[in-house]
mmCIF file of all heavy atoms in Angstrom:
data_model
loop_
_atom_site.group_PDB
_atom_site.id
_atom_site.type_symbol
_atom_site.label_atom_id
_atom_site.label_comp_id
_atom_site.label_asym_id
_atom_site.label_seq_id
_atom_site.Cartn_x
_atom_site.Cartn_y
_atom_site.Cartn_z
ATOM 1 N N LEU A 1436 94.944 133.814 90.039
ATOM 2 C CA LEU A 1436 94.753 132.368 89.883
ATOM 3 C C LEU A 1436 96.027 131.682 90.337
ATOM 4 O O LEU A 1436 97.084 131.874 89.745
ATOM 5 C CB LEU A 1436 94.441 132.019 88.425
ATOM 6 C CG LEU A 1436 94.154 130.545 88.123
ATOM 7 C CD1 LEU A 1436 92.931 130.055 88.891
ATOM 8 C CD2 LEU A 1436 93.950 130.329 86.629
ATOM 9 N N GLY A 1437 95.929 130.924 91.423
ATOM 10 C CA GLY A 1437 97.122 130.300 91.986
ATOM 11 C C GLY A 1437 98.159 131.326 92.408
ATOM 12 O O GLY A 1437 99.361 131.061 92.335
ATOM 13 N N GLY A 1438 97.705 132.503 92.834
ATOM 14 C CA GLY A 1438 98.610 133.562 93.288
ATOM 15 C C GLY A 1438 99.152 134.443 92.185
ATOM 16 O O GLY A 1438 99.830 135.433 92.458
ATOM 17 N N GLN A 1439 98.867 134.122 90.920
ATOM 18 C CA GLN A 1439 99.328 134.921 89.794
ATOM 19 C C GLN A 1439 98.164 135.686 89.182
ATOM 20 O O GLN A 1439 97.031 135.191 89.154
ATOM 21 C CB GLN A 1439 99.952 134.033 88.716
ATOM 22 C CG GLN A 1439 101.239 133.345 89.113
ATOM 23 C CD GLN A 1439 101.801 132.529 87.962
ATOM 24 O OE1 GLN A 1439 101.581 131.311 87.875
ATOM 25 N NE2 GLN A 1439 102.523 133.181 87.066
ATOM 26 N N ALA A 1440 98.470 136.876 88.679
ATOM 27 C CA ALA A 1440 97.435 137.650 88.000
ATOM 28 C C ALA A 1440 96.943 136.863 86.787
ATOM 29 O O ALA A 1440 97.741 136.373 85.978
ATOM 30 C CB ALA A 1440 97.983 139.001 87.560
ATOM 31 N N LEU A 1441 95.629 136.738 86.670
ATOM 32 C CA LEU A 1441 95.033 135.944 85.594
ATOM 33 C C LEU A 1441 95.486 136.437 84.226
ATOM 34 O O LEU A 1441 95.702 135.648 83.301
ATOM 35 C CB LEU A 1441 93.506 136.007 85.710
ATOM 36 C CG LEU A 1441 92.689 135.110 84.801
ATOM 37 C CD1 LEU A 1441 92.974 133.634 85.101
ATOM 38 C CD2 LEU A 1441 91.201 135.393 84.969
ATOM 39 N N THR A 1442 95.655 137.738 84.086
ATOM 40 C CA THR A 1442 96.016 138.325 82.790
ATOM 41 C C THR A 1442 97.438 137.980 82.363
ATOM 42 O O THR A 1442 97.787 138.155 81.193
ATOM 43 C CB THR A 1442 95.865 139.852 82.840
ATOM 44 O OG1 THR A 1442 96.612 140.359 83.958
ATOM 45 C CG2 THR A 1442 94.409 140.256 82.991
ATOM 46 N N THR A 1443 98.276 137.509 83.286
ATOM 47 C CA THR A 1443 99.658 137.186 82.934
ATOM 48 C C THR A 1443 99.833 135.738 82.497
ATOM 49 O O THR A 1443 100.917 135.358 82.044
ATOM 50 C CB THR A 1443 100.603 137.448 84.123
ATOM 51 O OG1 THR A 1443 100.304 136.528 85.189
ATOM 52 C CG2 THR A 1443 100.453 138.874 84.636
ATOM 53 N N LEU A 1444 98.798 134.937 82.643
ATOM 54 C CA LEU A 1444 98.899 133.521 82.295
ATOM 55 C C LEU A 1444 98.607 133.302 80.817
ATOM 56 O O LEU A 1444 97.690 133.889 80.261
ATOM 57 C CB LEU A 1444 97.920 132.702 83.133
ATOM 58 C CG LEU A 1444 98.146 132.703 84.644
ATOM 59 C CD1 LEU A 1444 97.031 131.934 85.338
ATOM 60 C CD2 LEU A 1444 99.500 132.106 85.002
ATOM 61 N N ARG A 1445 99.378 132.429 80.194
ATOM 62 C CA ARG A 1445 99.109 132.056 78.814
ATOM 63 C C ARG A 1445 97.835 131.215 78.761
ATOM 64 O O ARG A 1445 97.481 130.546 79.743
ATOM 65 C CB ARG A 1445 100.295 131.286 78.217
ATOM 66 C CG ARG A 1445 101.576 132.108 78.115
ATOM 67 C CD ARG A 1445 102.621 131.387 77.268
ATOM 68 N NE ARG A 1445 102.966 130.091 77.833
ATOM 69 C CZ ARG A 1445 103.891 129.897 78.764
ATOM 70 N NH1 ARG A 1445 104.573 130.945 79.241
ATOM 71 N NH2 ARG A 1445 104.159 128.686 79.209
ATOM 72 N N PRO A 1446 97.131 131.235 77.619
ATOM 73 C CA PRO A 1446 95.863 130.499 77.540
ATOM 74 C C PRO A 1446 95.965 129.042 77.953
ATOM 75 O O PRO A 1446 95.095 128.513 78.643
ATOM 76 C CB PRO A 1446 95.477 130.644 76.060
ATOM 77 C CG PRO A 1446 96.098 131.938 75.641
ATOM 78 C CD PRO A 1446 97.399 132.017 76.394
ATOM 79 N N LEU A 1447 97.043 128.357 77.551
ATOM 80 C CA LEU A 1447 97.186 126.949 77.891
ATOM 81 C C LEU A 1447 97.389 126.763 79.395
ATOM 82 O O LEU A 1447 96.858 125.829 79.991
ATOM 83 C CB LEU A 1447 98.343 126.324 77.113
ATOM 84 C CG LEU A 1447 98.327 124.794 76.997
ATOM 85 C CD1 LEU A 1447 97.040 124.309 76.349
ATOM 86 C CD2 LEU A 1447 99.543 124.310 76.212
ATOM 87 N N GLN A 1448 98.157 127.668 80.015
ATOM 88 C CA GLN A 1448 98.328 127.615 81.467
ATOM 89 C C GLN A 1448 96.984 127.772 82.169
ATOM 90 O O GLN A 1448 96.669 127.031 83.105
ATOM 91 C CB GLN A 1448 99.268 128.733 81.930
ATOM 92 C CG GLN A 1448 100.733 128.549 81.609
ATOM 93 C CD GLN A 1448 101.535 129.747 82.102
ATOM 94 O OE1 GLN A 1448 101.378 130.861 81.604
ATOM 95 N NE2 GLN A 1448 102.391 129.508 83.076
ATOM 96 N N ARG A 1449 96.229 128.740 81.714
ATOM 97 C CA ARG A 1449 94.935 129.009 82.341
ATOM 98 C C ARG A 1449 93.982 127.837 82.144
ATOM 99 O O ARG A 1449 93.256 127.442 83.063
ATOM 100 C CB ARG A 1449 94.337 130.291 81.745
ATOM 101 C CG ARG A 1449 93.094 130.782 82.437
ATOM 102 C CD ARG A 1449 92.739 132.177 81.970
ATOM 103 N NE ARG A 1449 92.390 132.203 80.561
ATOM 104 C CZ ARG A 1449 92.285 133.306 79.829
ATOM 105 N NH1 ARG A 1449 92.526 134.481 80.380
ATOM 106 N NH2 ARG A 1449 91.947 133.241 78.566
ATOM 107 N N ALA A 1450 93.996 127.245 80.948
ATOM 108 C CA ALA A 1450 93.083 126.151 80.646
ATOM 109 C C ALA A 1450 93.368 124.920 81.496
ATOM 110 O O ALA A 1450 92.468 124.117 81.754
ATOM 111 C CB ALA A 1450 93.172 125.788 79.164
ATOM 112 N N ARG A 1451 94.609 124.765 81.937
ATOM 113 C CA ARG A 1451 94.945 123.615 82.783
ATOM 114 C C ARG A 1451 94.558 123.846 84.242
ATOM 115 O O ARG A 1451 94.508 122.900 85.011
ATOM 116 C CB ARG A 1451 96.443 123.311 82.685
ATOM 117 C CG ARG A 1451 96.839 122.722 81.342
ATOM 118 C CD ARG A 1451 98.330 122.542 81.228
ATOM 119 N NE ARG A 1451 98.685 121.920 79.953
ATOM 120 C CZ ARG A 1451 99.924 121.796 79.509
ATOM 121 N NH1 ARG A 1451 100.937 122.259 80.242
ATOM 122 N NH2 ARG A 1451 100.165 121.219 78.350
ATOM 123 N N GLN A 1452 94.305 125.091 84.595
ATOM 124 C CA GLN A 1452 93.977 125.400 85.982
ATOM 125 C C GLN A 1452 92.492 125.643 86.210
ATOM 126 O O GLN A 1452 92.002 125.429 87.313
ATOM 127 C CB GLN A 1452 94.777 126.623 86.446
ATOM 128 C CG GLN A 1452 96.270 126.380 86.495
ATOM 129 C CD GLN A 1452 96.992 127.552 87.113
ATOM 130 O OE1 GLN A 1452 96.709 127.967 88.226
ATOM 131 N NE2 GLN A 1452 97.951 128.113 86.379
ATOM 132 N N LEU A 1453 91.793 126.132 85.181
ATOM 133 C CA LEU A 1453 90.354 126.346 85.349
ATOM 134 C C LEU A 1453 89.610 125.966 84.085
ATOM 135 O O LEU A 1453 90.126 126.062 82.980
ATOM 136 C CB LEU A 1453 90.053 127.798 85.760
ATOM 137 C CG LEU A 1453 90.289 128.959 84.787
ATOM 138 C CD1 LEU A 1453 89.145 129.113 83.794
ATOM 139 C CD2 LEU A 1453 90.449 130.254 85.562
ATOM 140 N N ALA A 1454 88.401 125.495 84.280
ATOM 141 C CA ALA A 1454 87.524 125.128 83.160
ATOM 142 C C ALA A 1454 86.205 125.862 83.322
ATOM 143 O O ALA A 1454 85.705 126.028 84.443
ATOM 144 C CB ALA A 1454 87.304 123.619 83.125
ATOM 145 N N TRP A 1455 85.626 126.278 82.218
ATOM 146 C CA TRP A 1455 84.449 127.149 82.214
ATOM 147 C C TRP A 1455 83.327 126.491 81.428
ATOM 148 O O TRP A 1455 83.558 125.917 80.360
ATOM 149 C CB TRP A 1455 84.848 128.492 81.595
ATOM 150 C CG TRP A 1455 83.790 129.230 80.845
ATOM 151 C CD1 TRP A 1455 83.562 129.202 79.498
ATOM 152 C CD2 TRP A 1455 82.824 130.120 81.380
ATOM 153 N NE1 TRP A 1455 82.522 130.022 79.167
ATOM 154 C CE2 TRP A 1455 82.047 130.596 80.318
ATOM 155 C CE3 TRP A 1455 82.538 130.562 82.671
ATOM 156 C CZ2 TRP A 1455 81.004 131.488 80.487
ATOM 157 C CZ3 TRP A 1455 81.494 131.454 82.852
ATOM 158 C CH2 TRP A 1455 80.742 131.910 81.771
ATOM 159 N N MET A 1456 82.117 126.555 81.951
ATOM 160 C CA MET A 1456 80.941 126.100 81.206
ATOM 161 C C MET A 1456 79.922 127.226 81.204
ATOM 162 O O MET A 1456 79.478 127.681 82.270
ATOM 163 C CB MET A 1456 80.326 124.847 81.822
ATOM 164 C CG MET A 1456 79.220 124.243 80.947
ATOM 165 S SD MET A 1456 78.598 122.658 81.561
ATOM 166 C CE MET A 1456 77.365 123.232 82.727
ATOM 167 N N ALA A 1457 79.541 127.668 80.014
ATOM 168 C CA ALA A 1457 78.618 128.784 79.873
ATOM 169 C C ALA A 1457 77.192 128.357 80.188
ATOM 170 O O ALA A 1457 76.849 127.176 80.173
ATOM 171 C CB ALA A 1457 78.693 129.357 78.457
ATOM 172 N N GLN A 1458 76.344 129.360 80.441
ATOM 173 C CA GLN A 1458 74.936 129.109 80.735
ATOM 174 C C GLN A 1458 74.255 128.418 79.556
ATOM 175 O O GLN A 1458 73.473 127.489 79.737
ATOM 176 C CB GLN A 1458 74.247 130.422 81.075
ATOM 177 C CG GLN A 1458 72.830 130.267 81.565
ATOM 178 C CD GLN A 1458 72.246 131.592 82.021
ATOM 179 O OE1 GLN A 1458 71.078 131.881 81.780
ATOM 180 N NE2 GLN A 1458 73.049 132.412 82.672
ATOM 181 N N GLN A 1459 74.526 128.870 78.369
ATOM 182 C CA GLN A 1459 74.046 128.210 77.151
ATOM 183 C C GLN A 1459 75.289 127.709 76.432
ATOM 184 O O GLN A 1459 75.864 128.405 75.618
ATOM 185 C CB GLN A 1459 73.257 129.184 76.271
ATOM 186 C CG GLN A 1459 72.023 129.753 76.938
ATOM 187 C CD GLN A 1459 70.964 128.697 77.197
ATOM 188 O OE1 GLN A 1459 70.895 127.687 76.504
ATOM 189 N NE2 GLN A 1459 70.131 128.915 78.211
ATOM 190 N N GLY A 1460 75.720 126.490 76.795
ATOM 191 C CA GLY A 1460 76.994 125.980 76.314
ATOM 192 C C GLY A 1460 77.067 125.888 74.802
ATOM 193 O O GLY A 1460 76.156 125.372 74.163
ATOM 194 N N GLU A 1461 78.165 126.399 74.244
ATOM 195 C CA GLU A 1461 78.360 126.315 72.807
ATOM 196 C C GLU A 1461 78.791 124.889 72.458
ATOM 197 O O GLU A 1461 79.630 124.297 73.113
ATOM 198 C CB GLU A 1461 79.444 127.295 72.338
ATOM 199 C CG GLU A 1461 79.140 128.757 72.650
ATOM 200 C CD GLU A 1461 79.573 129.160 74.056
ATOM 201 O OE1 GLU A 1461 80.139 128.302 74.750
ATOM 202 O OE2 GLU A 1461 79.323 130.296 74.432
ATOM 203 N N SER A 1462 78.211 124.343 71.419
ATOM 204 C CA SER A 1462 78.582 122.995 70.998
ATOM 205 C C SER A 1462 78.188 122.817 69.535
ATOM 206 O O SER A 1462 77.236 123.407 69.053
ATOM 207 C CB SER A 1462 77.888 121.942 71.857
ATOM 208 O OG SER A 1462 76.484 122.091 71.777
ATOM 209 N N SER A 1463 78.952 121.986 68.858
ATOM 210 C CA SER A 1463 78.642 121.694 67.460
ATOM 211 C C SER A 1463 77.754 120.460 67.384
ATOM 212 O O SER A 1463 78.088 119.401 67.918
ATOM 213 C CB SER A 1463 79.933 121.450 66.665
ATOM 214 O OG SER A 1463 79.625 120.937 65.388
ATOM 215 N N GLY A 1464 76.624 120.607 66.707
ATOM 216 C CA GLY A 1464 75.716 119.484 66.576
ATOM 217 C C GLY A 1464 76.261 118.363 65.716
ATOM 218 O O GLY A 1464 75.697 117.276 65.687
ATOM 219 N N GLU A 1465 77.356 118.584 64.972
ATOM 220 C CA GLU A 1465 77.919 117.553 64.111
ATOM 221 C C GLU A 1465 78.841 116.601 64.868
ATOM 222 O O GLU A 1465 79.121 115.505 64.401
ATOM 223 C CB GLU A 1465 78.676 118.199 62.938
ATOM 224 C CG GLU A 1465 77.783 118.993 62.005
ATOM 225 C CD GLU A 1465 76.599 118.160 61.506
ATOM 226 O OE1 GLU A 1465 76.818 117.020 61.057
ATOM 227 O OE2 GLU A 1465 75.457 118.646 61.581
ATOM 228 N N LEU A 1466 79.327 117.022 66.020
ATOM 229 C CA LEU A 1466 80.175 116.137 66.813
ATOM 230 C C LEU A 1466 79.314 115.152 67.585
ATOM 231 O O LEU A 1466 78.199 115.471 67.996
ATOM 232 C CB LEU A 1466 81.016 116.955 67.804
ATOM 233 C CG LEU A 1466 82.055 117.922 67.218
ATOM 234 C CD1 LEU A 1466 82.751 118.661 68.340
ATOM 235 C CD2 LEU A 1466 83.068 117.182 66.362
ATOM 236 N N ASP A 1467 79.858 113.956 67.805
ATOM 237 C CA ASP A 1467 79.131 113.044 68.666
ATOM 238 C C ASP A 1467 79.532 113.299 70.118
ATOM 239 O O ASP A 1467 80.396 114.146 70.401
ATOM 240 C CB ASP A 1467 79.330 111.583 68.247
ATOM 241 C CG ASP A 1467 80.758 111.073 68.420
ATOM 242 O OD1 ASP A 1467 81.477 111.573 69.296
ATOM 243 O OD2 ASP A 1467 81.149 110.154 67.673
ATOM 244 N N VAL A 1468 78.905 112.586 71.031
ATOM 245 C CA VAL A 1468 79.102 112.851 72.458
ATOM 246 C C VAL A 1468 80.564 112.637 72.862
ATOM 247 O O VAL A 1468 81.168 113.498 73.518
ATOM 248 C CB VAL A 1468 78.170 111.944 73.287
ATOM 249 C CG1 VAL A 1468 78.553 111.962 74.763
ATOM 250 C CG2 VAL A 1468 76.721 112.384 73.108
ATOM 251 N N ARG A 1469 81.139 111.526 72.454
ATOM 252 C CA ARG A 1469 82.510 111.245 72.858
ATOM 253 C C ARG A 1469 83.483 112.282 72.297
ATOM 254 O O ARG A 1469 84.408 112.727 72.992
ATOM 255 C CB ARG A 1469 82.914 109.836 72.417
ATOM 256 C CG ARG A 1469 84.301 109.442 72.920
ATOM 257 C CD ARG A 1469 84.695 108.032 72.555
ATOM 258 N NE ARG A 1469 86.007 107.728 73.124
ATOM 259 C CZ ARG A 1469 86.196 107.326 74.376
ATOM 260 N NH1 ARG A 1469 85.165 107.168 75.168
ATOM 261 N NH2 ARG A 1469 87.412 107.078 74.814
ATOM 262 N N GLN A 1470 83.287 112.680 71.036
ATOM 263 C CA GLN A 1470 84.160 113.700 70.447
ATOM 264 C C GLN A 1470 84.043 115.022 71.206
ATOM 265 O O GLN A 1470 85.044 115.720 71.404
ATOM 266 C CB GLN A 1470 83.795 113.894 68.977
ATOM 267 C CG GLN A 1470 84.165 112.727 68.085
ATOM 268 C CD GLN A 1470 83.548 112.846 66.701
ATOM 269 O OE1 GLN A 1470 82.479 113.452 66.519
ATOM 270 N NE2 GLN A 1470 84.196 112.257 65.695
ATOM 271 N N THR A 1471 82.838 115.357 71.620
ATOM 272 C CA THR A 1471 82.629 116.601 72.357
ATOM 273 C C THR A 1471 83.343 116.565 73.700
ATOM 274 O O THR A 1471 84.034 117.520 74.078
ATOM 275 C CB THR A 1471 81.123 116.840 72.575
ATOM 276 O OG1 THR A 1471 80.477 116.915 71.306
ATOM 277 C CG2 THR A 1471 80.884 118.119 73.347
ATOM 278 N N VAL A 1472 83.190 115.475 74.425
ATOM 279 C CA VAL A 1472 83.838 115.361 75.735
ATOM 280 C C VAL A 1472 85.359 115.371 75.570
ATOM 281 O O VAL A 1472 86.081 115.966 76.368
ATOM 282 C CB VAL A 1472 83.370 114.086 76.457
ATOM 283 C CG1 VAL A 1472 84.089 113.919 77.800
ATOM 284 C CG2 VAL A 1472 81.859 114.134 76.686
ATOM 285 N N ALA A 1473 85.851 114.749 74.504
ATOM 286 C CA ALA A 1473 87.298 114.678 74.262
ATOM 287 C C ALA A 1473 87.912 116.055 74.017
ATOM 288 O O ALA A 1473 89.124 116.230 74.187
ATOM 289 C CB ALA A 1473 87.593 113.754 73.087
ATOM 290 N N LEU A 1474 87.093 117.045 73.644
ATOM 291 C CA LEU A 1474 87.621 118.409 73.477
ATOM 292 C C LEU A 1474 88.202 118.940 74.774
ATOM 293 O O LEU A 1474 89.061 119.830 74.753
ATOM 294 C CB LEU A 1474 86.510 119.342 72.985
ATOM 295 C CG LEU A 1474 85.999 119.115 71.556
ATOM 296 C CD1 LEU A 1474 84.833 120.053 71.268
ATOM 297 C CD2 LEU A 1474 87.109 119.315 70.544
ATOM 298 N N GLY A 1475 87.750 118.408 75.897
ATOM 299 C CA GLY A 1475 88.306 118.841 77.177
ATOM 300 C C GLY A 1475 89.771 118.503 77.341
ATOM 301 O O GLY A 1475 90.452 119.072 78.199
ATOM 302 N N ARG A 1476 90.298 117.589 76.534
ATOM 303 C CA ARG A 1476 91.709 117.205 76.648
ATOM 304 C C ARG A 1476 92.639 118.148 75.894
ATOM 305 O O ARG A 1476 93.867 117.997 75.966
ATOM 306 C CB ARG A 1476 91.903 115.766 76.125
ATOM 307 C CG ARG A 1476 91.097 114.715 76.855
ATOM 308 C CD ARG A 1476 91.358 114.733 78.348
ATOM 309 N NE ARG A 1476 92.738 114.364 78.659
ATOM 310 C CZ ARG A 1476 93.300 114.602 79.840
ATOM 311 N NH1 ARG A 1476 92.627 115.222 80.797
ATOM 312 N NH2 ARG A 1476 94.556 114.241 80.059
ATOM 313 N N ILE A 1477 92.086 119.112 75.158
ATOM 314 C CA ILE A 1477 92.927 120.045 74.395
ATOM 315 C C ILE A 1477 93.875 120.796 75.313
ATOM 316 O O ILE A 1477 95.010 121.101 74.936
ATOM 317 C CB ILE A 1477 92.044 121.019 73.590
ATOM 318 C CG1 ILE A 1477 91.374 120.275 72.432
ATOM 319 C CG2 ILE A 1477 92.860 122.197 73.056
ATOM 320 C CD1 ILE A 1477 90.417 121.131 71.619
ATOM 321 N N ALA A 1478 93.433 121.079 76.544
ATOM 322 C CA ALA A 1478 94.291 121.805 77.482
ATOM 323 C C ALA A 1478 95.594 121.047 77.739
ATOM 324 O O ALA A 1478 96.610 121.658 78.078
ATOM 325 C CB ALA A 1478 93.545 122.025 78.800
ATOM 326 N N HIS A 1479 95.572 119.725 77.599
ATOM 327 C CA HIS A 1479 96.767 118.915 77.846
ATOM 328 C C HIS A 1479 97.475 118.514 76.555
ATOM 329 O O HIS A 1479 98.696 118.359 76.537
ATOM 330 C CB HIS A 1479 96.381 117.660 78.630
ATOM 331 C CG HIS A 1479 95.759 117.956 79.957
ATOM 332 N ND1 HIS A 1479 96.497 118.138 81.098
ATOM 333 C CD2 HIS A 1479 94.464 118.136 80.316
ATOM 334 C CE1 HIS A 1479 95.688 118.401 82.111
ATOM 335 N NE2 HIS A 1479 94.449 118.403 81.658
ATOM 336 N N LEU A 1480 96.716 118.347 75.478
ATOM 337 C CA LEU A 1480 97.293 117.844 74.230
ATOM 338 C C LEU A 1480 97.640 118.948 73.244
ATOM 339 O O LEU A 1480 98.442 118.729 72.329
ATOM 340 C CB LEU A 1480 96.303 116.885 73.556
ATOM 341 C CG LEU A 1480 95.943 115.619 74.331
ATOM 342 C CD1 LEU A 1480 94.796 114.888 73.641
ATOM 343 C CD2 LEU A 1480 97.151 114.711 74.463
ATOM 344 N N GLY A 1481 97.041 120.133 73.413
ATOM 345 C CA GLY A 1481 97.137 121.138 72.376
ATOM 346 C C GLY A 1481 96.217 120.774 71.215
ATOM 347 O O GLY A 1481 95.542 119.746 71.236
ATOM 348 N N LEU A 1482 96.204 121.608 70.201
ATOM 349 C CA LEU A 1482 95.294 121.373 69.079
ATOM 350 C C LEU A 1482 95.738 120.216 68.202
ATOM 351 O O LEU A 1482 94.916 119.575 67.537
ATOM 352 C CB LEU A 1482 95.182 122.649 68.235
ATOM 353 C CG LEU A 1482 94.461 123.831 68.909
ATOM 354 C CD1 LEU A 1482 94.537 125.063 68.028
ATOM 355 C CD2 LEU A 1482 93.002 123.459 69.192
#
């Protein structure tokens, strides 16, 4: 990934370079739409 072995990248590094969506996407039914989309910012903000 970007010339580096994927296994050597820290999770946060990897999350900023690639994003994954599963065939049956996992999601919590208790979150609203905006809260769910905002989870994508964790790669930049941390938890």
Side-chain angles (χ1 to χ4, degrees):
L1436 183 61
Q1439 293 182 263
L1441 188 63
T1442 53
T1443 66
L1444 297 176
R1445 296 191 300 274
L1447 200 57
Q1448 287 179 294
R1449 188 169 65 193
R1451 289 175 178 171
Q1452 295 187 56
L1453 68 81
W1455 149 265
M1456 188 174 85
Q1458 187 174 141
Q1459 299 294 334
E1461 300 85 2
S1462 58
S1463 170
E1465 296 307 311
L1466 295 178
D1467 66 28
V1468 168
R1469 185 177 182 83
Q1470 290 169 332
T1471 301
V1472 177
L1474 291 176
R1476 301 305 295 164
I1477 289 177
H1479 300 272
L1480 298 171
L1482 292 174

